[in-house]
Amino acid sequence: MEKFVEALKQKIRSKEGLSPKMQDILDACVVLFSTKGFSNTSTKDIAKAANVAEGTIYKHFGTKENLLYATIFPILRDIISTEALAQVQQFRNSAENAPFERFVEFIVRKDVMMPEEHFQSGKIFISEMMYDKQRYKEFITTIPKDLIEGIYAILDGYKEKNEIVDWPNPVIWQFIMSILFGNHLTHYVLFTDTKRDKEAEIAYLTQQIVKGLKPDKQLH
């Protein structure tokens, strides 16, 4: 079983308020959603994998959507946010005075070089958020405040040095994330058989972001 799925299952096992039967149901969801996809997984499939009656799923969680958005999504968010916060702190501790291009390359490299098995699970959630804008907004608003503040502090420093356009931090971060999200969408959802040169990919994405946020791009 891939590392990311195992981390998600461990988080489920440590979550308070879940009975062993509920944990088994969520474990089954994680595996099935990651292998078959959310849309292709039925509650009957989940019940069979968890060795419970289908009615037990409805009793504890209601709908299949609740399994994804009310339970697995928050756990997934916590795992991702914890890792992202550690990476932001790592950059601030080791390279706070580095040029903006280095900061972008740091983010892009972490993103592109993340083990591909992570995205075998993550693509399920990317696909769901792509088609459900409200769920995407809900997911974004639950990102920890410490993570956002850490990123914005770094961006403020670059704006003070006139290395990037003086746009609101949410707009700048949305610009960066939209490019990275589009890259993931291309490789893990739309064109999954595309061969990749990851080093070239990192260079192109970094250049795209840096050029897009140069001060001469500022709106008037």
Side-chain angles (χ1 to χ4, degrees):
M1 183 63 64
E2 61 176 80
K3 183 179 179 181
F4 190 68
V5 168
E6 284 298 333
L8 193 51
K9 290 175 72 174
Q10 288 176 15
K11 197 78 173 179
I12 288 171
R13 293 292 169 182
S14 65
K15 188 175 178 63
E16 295 182 0
L18 294 177
S19 67
K21 190 167 291 186
M22 294 169 71
Q23 292 175 342
D24 289 342
I25 291 171
L26 292 176
D27 279 351
C29 288
V30 169
V31 175
L32 290 171
F33 292 168
S34 300
T35 54
K36 295 182 62 175
F38 176 77
S39 298
N40 294 326
T41 300
S42 67
T43 52
K44 184 178 292 185
D45 294 331
I46 297 169
K48 182 178 179 181
N51 196 29
V52 300
E54 193 172 0
T56 303
I57 296 175
Y58 296 118
K59 175 183 176 182
H60 290 296
F61 299 102
T63 65
K64 185 177 71 169
E65 285 72 19
N66 281 346
L67 282 166
L68 179 65
Y69 293 115
T71 308
I72 294 179
F73 233 32
I75 294 172
L76 176 69
R77 180 203 65 224
D78 290 344
I79 293 174
I80 294 175
S81 298
T82 298
E83 175 63 20
L85 185 57
Q87 291 180 6
V88 168
Q89 193 57 50
Q90 176 187 338
F91 182 86
R92 295 186 72 179
N93 291 339
S94 63
E96 193 168 6
N97 295 319
F100 181 61
E101 184 172 357
R102 183 173 173 188
F103 173 60
V104 173
E105 197 272 343
F106 175 83
I107 294 172
V108 172
R109 180 170 294 278
K110 291 284 187 181
D111 196 63
V112 171
M113 299 304 289
M114 187 179 292
E116 292 196 15
E117 61 263 25
H118 284 32
F119 292 104
Q120 297 308 310
S121 299
K123 70 180 181 181
I124 306 303
F125 302 95
I126 289 173
S127 299
E128 289 305 311
M129 286 192 292
M130 180 176 67
Y131 294 113
D132 193 330
K133 300 302 181 184
Q134 183 58 37
R135 296 297 187 183
Y136 173 76
K137 290 179 181 179
E138 291 174 3
F139 183 78
I140 294 299
T141 58
T142 58
I143 294 176
K145 186 178 180 181
D146 289 349
L147 175 59
I148 298 297
E149 289 179 347
I151 292 170
Y152 286 0
I154 293 173
L155 294 178
D156 284 337
Y158 288 121
K159 284 192 283 188
E160 289 174 5
K161 292 184 288 187
N162 199 37
E163 290 192 41
I164 61 175
V165 65
D166 190 17
W167 291 347
N169 286 327
V171 175
I172 295 175
W173 191 242
Q174 182 182 30
F175 175 79
I176 296 173
M177 288 296 99
S178 65
I179 290 175
L180 297 180
F181 182 82
N183 188 57
H184 291 321
L185 191 62
T186 297
H187 291 294
Y188 295 103
V189 178
L190 300 178
F191 306 108
T192 56
D193 60 344
T194 303
K195 292 183 178 180
R196 303 174 67 182
D197 179 344
K198 288 193 174 184
E199 288 300 327
E201 192 175 314
I202 291 168
Y204 291 140
L205 290 170
T206 299
Q207 291 173 29
Q208 184 179 0
I209 292 169
V210 170
K211 288 181 179 180
L213 292 174
K214 279 186 175 179
D216 61 356
K217 298 289 185 180
Q218 186 166 343
L219 295 174
H220 298 287

